[in-house]
Amino acid sequence: MKEIMNVIKSRRSIRSFSNEQIKQEELDVILEAGMYAPSAAGKQARYFTVIQDQQILDEISSEAKRVYRSMNVEFLQNLGSNERFDPFFHAPTVIVISGEINSIAPNSDCAVAAQNIMLAAEALQIGSCWISASAVITQTEEGKKIIEKLGLPEDYAPFNSIALGYKKTERHDVPPRREGVVNYIRNKQE
Ligand SMILES: Cc1cc2nc3c(=O)[nH]c(=O)nc-3n(C[C@H](O)[C@H](O)[C@H](O)COP(=O)(O)O)c2cc1C
């Protein structure tokens, strides 16, 4: 395992994966990391769906692309129209993170779990990328039918998903961080 700051600083979104499936022991660690993320009022109102079935990923992908084509954002329209674009980048494993829609802060609860998952993956040298596709399809009737197939608990919906797989290529191109984003407000010294 890598040391925590090294993991945080070396993680990058990986969008090119080996076909080889990740090991169950690695997946177990990654899921445990997600479950140990903080949650609003400690409710842990989250659900992790591990998808290693290409057919269901294809269904989510094709509906997400349909939504992208209908959006008023040019780069998403282009992605949605690109036959070769797979929103999951052919990752062998995708974890859909769902939250309880009526809970205090489901979006944040799912986001912190997602970050824990991506950091644990990086610590294991596994590539990861946050993918919005599973959340995007919650907006459409067709998308809702696909989500039903995930068997989520009642009143849960996907808020994000994480693509996982062994990295085809390493990324060391970490961009410099923005400056001037920290302000201290401290007691005045006497
Ligand atoms: C809320 C959120 C949504 C994102 N959605 C997507 C996505 O749908 N597809 C994708 O390829 N990357 C997605 N990303 C990954 C970002 O593009 C990526 O984190 C950003 O470009 C910075 O690169 P890095 O992760 O390598 O530091 C998302 C990230 C966040 C935080």
Side-chain angles (χ1 to χ4, degrees), residues 38-156:
S39 61
K43 297 282 187 202
Q44 299 181 39
R46 283 182 292 244
Y47 197 79
F48 302 90
T49 308
V50 179
I51 308 184
Q52 295 179 326
D53 173 331
Q54 195 54 52
Q55 193 180 322
I56 187 89
L57 290 176
D58 287 345
E59 285 182 47
I60 300 172
S61 295
S62 109
E63 181 59 11
K65 287 174 73 173
R66 203 172 69 79
V67 174
Y68 289 155
R69 285 196 296 277
S70 72
M71 288 168 83
N72 205 12
V73 181
E74 198 183 334
F75 94 93
L76 289 177
Q77 284 176 359
N78 290 341
L79 286 177
S81 310
N82 182 344
E83 275 185 24
R84 287 172 43 206
F85 173 66
D86 171 18
F88 295 110
F89 305 103
H90 310 287
T93 294
V94 172
I95 302 178
V96 174
I97 307 176
S98 302
E100 191 181 357
I101 47 178
N102 300 318
S103 64
I104 305 167
N107 202 347
S108 305
D109 284 352
C110 294
V112 284
Q115 179 69 354
N116 267 18
I117 282 174
M118 290 189 289
L119 292 178
E122 177 62 24
L124 294 165
Q125 324 252 23
I126 289 171
S128 69
C129 188
W130 179 308
I131 308 292
S132 303
S134 62
V136 159
I137 66 164
T138 58
Q139 301 161 11
T140 67
E141 285 313 309
E142 194 54 43
K144 284 178 191 153
K145 283 188 207 149
I146 298 168
I147 288 164
E148 263 178 38
K149 297 184 189 178
L150 303 184
L152 299 179
E154 206 177 326
D155 293 332
Y156 275 64

